[in-house]
Amino acid sequence: MTRIDDTFARLKADGTKAFVSYIMAGDPDYDTSLAVMKGLPGAGVDIIELGLPFTDPMADGPTIQLAGGRALDGGMTLEKTLQMVRDFREGDATTPIVLMGYYNPIYSRGVDKFLADANEAGIDGLIVVDLPPEEDEELCIPAQKAGLNFIRLATPTTDDNRLPAVLTNTSGFVYYVSITGITGAAAAEAKDVGPEVARIKAKTDLPVIVGFGIRTPETSEAIAAVADGCVVGSAIVSEIAEGKPVEEVLAFVKSLADGAHRA
Amino acid sequence: MPDDLLNSFMTGPDEKGRFGDFGGRFVSETLMPLILELEKQYEHAKTDDSFWAEMQDLWTHYVGRPSPLYFAERLTERLGGAKIYLKRDELNHTGAHKINNVLGQIILARRMGKTRIIAETGAGQHGVATATVCAKFGLKCVVYMGATDVERQAPNVFRMKLLGAEVVPVTSGRGTLKDAMNDALRDWVTNVRDTFYCIGTVAGPHPYPAMVRDFQAIIGKEAKEQMMAAEGRLPDTIIAAIGGGSNAMGLFFPFLDDKDVQIIGVEAGGKGVNEKMEHCASLTGGRPGVLHGNRTYLLQDEDGQILEGHSISAGLDYPGIGPEHAWLHEIGRAQYVSITDTEALDAFQLSCETEGIIPALEPSHALAHVAKIAPDLPKDHIICMNMCGRGDKDIFTVARALGWDMSGA
């Protein structure tokens, strides 16, 4: 049982949907980013997705690209991202942290070393965008063995034939990508997402969380209502990009979390 | 070389799209079903005579293949050593080898019912080739090109527009080929249903590296036959320039099992291959990593962040290299060297002066290496170099580098 499994067990007992928020580690700088992160659980965030900056984020739209650029310009690295998790864990032992990013920084560090460091720092799960099931031996299977959840993306192009492959070796939850496209793009529609979530849930007992294209408390509520929860990333990162004070960013996060929790 | 491991160097990739440890399918889930479908369609087309008949017809009547194999007599005399042949792929329609591959992918796209073609381009040669074939078949074409390249390759941007393509300048990153490829992938992930991504080099997720190689292998097949006709034997050394590595893979592939043929790939050494990393020599100055769908040698920092390379040649300005080259490098079947901007400029002028051929800056790198080694080789040593593109697109860059004022021209 990871913190992720514990969190979903608690939410299920409460009859509440999960709210997951994404921020980029080190955006716009280490201290601000850590301050936002520390405030997320208080703003109602159930699971934190922490973006690992990468120079070439091929699945991300301009908002997340620029956030990664700001972080890298400020000297952010994988090592400092792990340090941020350690700093966060000093004051919070329960909120699950999912590291989300691309494979090369992890591969560059060495998979075994990375997994040991991630465990030690207090990371609970991984979402690695450019590792489909076909490449499970790279990181997914070693991560599961190391006790970390490997959370897979399912997308509108993941048809019924392919779904079992995507669900095998997935743990923690399934992240359903609501649109074909990049982060921060088109708006998600609950009427399209609902049947897709049902299709996935018919094949797995894992919670299904929906992300991409959710920007407002209303959408947060509508999408969470047809799934086990929702993820917001670009909309929060945009607030940080505008240079808003940490309290304002967290107030916005709270409005989104309240939306999801109303569902 | 581990002879006991391999009876042939031409059997790769394996079913996972790997050449040894390199290659693979490192893409997001949204793209994965498309890649698998493409692989299926390509596997079918590969053994379909009607597919290759269509290719052959267009290669002959539209591209102008076979391209000549030309004995560069004055260049040979000037260098005073090995006998130098040039494979004249710069004489192809659109001025480079790129169209060999584009035709194959567009025929495939048509068979798959795709109506919109996207491509990335660096020097603009792949973009022009894609725009050309799209115009010929009446397909919508969108080309992603780094903003820096849009500026330094203005003639090709205009060509693409004349051919009806939409050219999208990419401002993310440093605005070169790598960034163009990122944005092309973002487009593809957004427009999965109707769009075919026509990759211009032997990189990207499986099956692209193998498919592009197979389409470019016509270069080596012809060169082999032409060399037998001209000399009655195979060349001793074959040489080609490498950015992603498609013209090189096209020349090399048919020769891989001819173990007496020495194979040399020439990377862009930019301002010199050293710790300043102002070059694009992935094999001689990089290390293995994962980018753009495949594992290969990459220019990267110690944190695994991808570095922006530098080359005077926009077509070589890419921090990675095709995975099959990475494999050939590791097993030692091919040798990889680098040539600086300055050496390439010298070779550019050498080709103009001795042979009346204005080469692209990309093959100028290969020629610079030929000029380095030929003088010390015996006169019966035969070198075959791929002249993969013509230099019309580069005259402004070269003029600037040589201090010519073209403003009044």
Side-chain angles (χ1 to χ4, degrees):
Chain A
M1 290 288 278
T2 65
R3 291 186 190 92
I4 296 171
D5 301 325
D6 293 341
T7 297
F8 279 109
R10 171 178 62 79
L11 289 167
K12 194 173 180 186
D14 295 349
T16 310
K17 298 299 172 77
F19 180 70
V20 183
S21 72
Y22 172 99
I23 58 166
M24 176 67 77
D27 169 35
D29 56 62
Y30 187 95
D31 292 340
T32 310
S33 177
L34 180 60
V36 172
M37 189 181 181
K38 283 179 172 172
L40 292 174
V45 170
D46 299 301
I47 297 172
I48 297 172
E49 262 181 39
L50 188 62
L52 172 65
F54 183 51
T55 39
D56 295 82
M58 287 155 296
D60 285 302
T63 305
I64 307 285
Q65 288 174 43
L66 291 169
R70 286 191 296 273
L72 291 173
D73 289 345
M76 204 61 188
T77 58
L78 174 51
E79 180 54 44
K80 287 182 187 169
T81 303
L82 293 166
Q83 186 55 45
M84 212 175 125
V85 174
R86 290 184 200 109
D87 290 351
F88 175 87
R89 280 278 173 248
E90 281 180 12
D92 187 317
T94 55
T95 307
I97 298 173
V98 175
L99 192 72
M100 181 167 186
Y102 296 80
Y103 185 38
N104 200 53
I106 295 170
Y107 179 72
S108 170
R109 190 178 185 86
V111 165
D112 291 341
K113 177 165 170 27
F114 165 78
L115 290 172
D117 294 344
N119 251 329
E120 169 269 323
I123 288 170
D124 305 288
L126 304 173
I127 300 178
V128 184
V129 181
D130 50 355
L131 285 178
E134 282 73 5
E135 303 292 351
D136 266 359
E137 287 154 34
E138 294 283 332
L139 180 66
C140 172
I141 290 166
Q144 310 271 28
K145 282 188 186 149
L148 289 167
N149 287 131
F150 195 88
I151 294 134
R152 188 97 65 198
L153 305 179
T155 72
T157 59
T158 312
D159 63 19
D160 287 339
N161 290 329
R162 189 168 165 74
L163 198 50
V166 169
L167 295 173
T168 306
N169 297 330
T170 301
S171 66
F173 59 93
V174 178
Y175 186 135
Y176 179 69
V177 176
S178 66
I179 53 163
T180 56
I182 51 181
T183 54
E189 300 254 5
K191 67 173 169 48
D192 301 327
V193 169
E196 291 293 298
V197 171
R199 182 168 71 91
I200 296 166
K201 287 187 78 72
K203 297 272 169 60
T204 180
D205 294 330
L206 290 171
V208 178
I209 304 297
V210 178
F212 284 44
I214 303 169
R215 311 190 64 85
T216 64
E218 293 72 30
T219 325
S220 178
E221 181 177 352
I223 296 290
V226 297
D228 295 306
C230 68
V231 189
V232 179
S234 295
I236 298 169
V237 172
S238 294
E239 299 277 306
I240 295 170
E242 286 170 26
K244 293 202 175 153
V246 171
E247 310 79 64
E248 268 186 53
V249 173
L250 292 172
F252 176 64
V253 172
K254 184 165 188 314
S255 71
L256 295 161
D258 289 349
H261 291 150
R262 269 196 302 274
Chain B
M1 208 176 300
D3 275 347
D4 53 328
L5 288 178
L6 301 156
N7 295 317
S8 169
F9 295 102
M10 296 170 71
T11 56
D14 66 16
E15 71 283 357
K16 293 186 73 187
R18 300 287 182 93
F19 302 91
D21 199 31
F22 301 102
R25 289 176 288 214
F26 296 88
V27 296
S28 64
E29 172 60 23
T30 310
L31 292 181
M32 204 54 224
L34 281 80
I35 304 245
L36 293 173
E37 176 63 18
L38 176 62
E39 182 185 353
K40 201 172 101 192
Q41 295 283 345
Y42 178 58
E43 284 304 317
H44 175 73
K46 221 163 69 172
T47 54
D48 177 357
D49 290 344
S50 71
F51 176 84
W52 289 103
E54 193 176 353
M55 287 283 281
Q56 196 55 58
D57 181 63
L58 288 164
W59 273 340
T60 305
H61 299 106
Y62 193 66
V63 177
R65 300 208 74 93
S67 69
L69 181 73
Y70 166 71
F71 171 45
E73 195 172 355
R74 290 195 67 230
L75 181 65
T76 300
E77 277 170 22
R78 174 76 71 93
L79 296 174
K83 194 169 185 184
I84 300 159
Y85 281 86
L86 302 176
K87 177 65 174 158
R88 302 287 307 275
D89 253 53
E90 100 279 12
L91 294 175
N92 293 338
H93 180 40
T94 71
H97 67 289
K98 292 292 186 186
I99 198 164
N100 301 333
N101 158 52
V102 170
L103 278 173
Q105 290 197 48
I106 301 287
I107 293 171
L108 204 55
R110 278 160 47 87
R111 289 182 163 213
M112 291 171 75
K114 303 290 183 183
T115 53
R116 180 175 176 271
I117 308 296
I118 58 170
E120 84 296 333
T121 198
Q125 292 302 102
H126 175 60
V128 167
T130 307
T132 298
V133 179
C134 286
K136 180 187 157 38
F137 286 112
L139 295 164
K140 185 171 166 46
C141 178
V142 179
V143 179
Y144 289 90
M145 188 169 186
T148 306
D149 292 337
V150 166
E151 190 195 334
R152 62 178 166 174
Q153 303 288 341
N156 272 344
V157 175
F158 186 53
R159 279 190 192 103
M160 286 184 269
K161 288 184 176 169
L162 286 173
L163 293 161
E166 179 192 346
V167 180
V168 183
V170 176
T171 53
S172 62
R174 208 186 42 140
T176 61
L177 181 53
K178 153 178 102 79
D179 312 299
M181 198 151 180
N182 288 335
D183 266 20
L185 283 162
R186 289 176 185 126
D187 179 311
W188 200 23
V189 99
T190 309
N191 301 291
V192 290
R193 315 257 176 219
D194 66 343
T195 297
F196 185 99
Y197 182 14
C198 182
I199 294 185
T201 192
V202 286
H206 179 64
Y208 282 99
M211 179 172 71
V212 176
R213 172 201 71 197
D214 292 345
F215 293 149
Q216 291 293 3
I218 187 71
I219 300 171
K221 273 180 218 150
E222 287 175 5
K224 220 169 169 174
E225 285 167 18
Q226 291 166 320
M227 192 58 84
M228 291 305 288
E231 294 279 350
R233 69 178 181 91
L234 295 180
D236 298 291
T237 304
I238 56 175
I239 299 185
I242 297 185
S246 71
N247 94 82
M249 215 50 244
L251 176 66
F252 296 172
F253 187 68
F255 288 98
L256 288 181
D257 285 346
D258 298 304
K259 292 182 188 173
D260 293 333
V261 177
Q262 188 193 7
I263 299 175
I264 304 177
V266 183
E267 297 191 285
K271 295 176 183 171
V273 180
N274 55 40
E275 68 286 350
K276 285 203 242 161
M277 297 304 264
E278 289 175 311
H279 62 83
C280 289
S282 317
L283 287 178
T284 39
R287 62 189 170 90
V290 173
L291 179 71
H292 292 154
N294 56 178
R295 173 163 30 230
T296 188
Y297 274 70
L298 300 171
L299 302 184
Q300 53 185 321
D301 69 13
E302 58 187 20
D303 194 43
Q305 304 296 339
I306 309 303
L307 297 173
E308 305 277 0
H310 162 83
S311 170
I312 190 170
S313 154
L316 304 181
D317 205 344
Y318 181 69
I321 185 166
E324 195 165 6
H325 286 295
W327 175 69
L328 291 171
H329 167 69
E330 284 218 341
I331 63 170
R333 175 61 189 103
Q335 179 197 350
Y336 294 86
V337 297
S338 71
I339 283 293
T340 65
D341 289 351
T342 310
E343 292 169 322
L345 276 167
D346 289 347
F348 178 97
Q349 295 170 87
L350 179 68
S351 174
C352 296
E353 288 163 20
T354 58
E355 294 296 343
I357 296 171
I358 300 179
L361 282 168
E362 292 80 14
S364 296
H365 285 71
L367 187 62
H369 191 69
V370 170
K372 245 185 203 178
I373 63 171
D376 297 329
L377 291 167
K379 289 192 192 304
D380 62 352
H381 186 106
I382 300 172
I383 294 177
C384 173
M385 185 206 110
N386 194 19
M387 182 61 81
C388 63
R390 65 176 88 127
D392 310 38
K393 69 183 174 61
D394 291 319
I395 55 169
F396 295 96
T397 306
V398 173
R400 210 175 304 130
L402 297 180
W404 280 67
D405 182 7
M406 300 259 289
S407 57

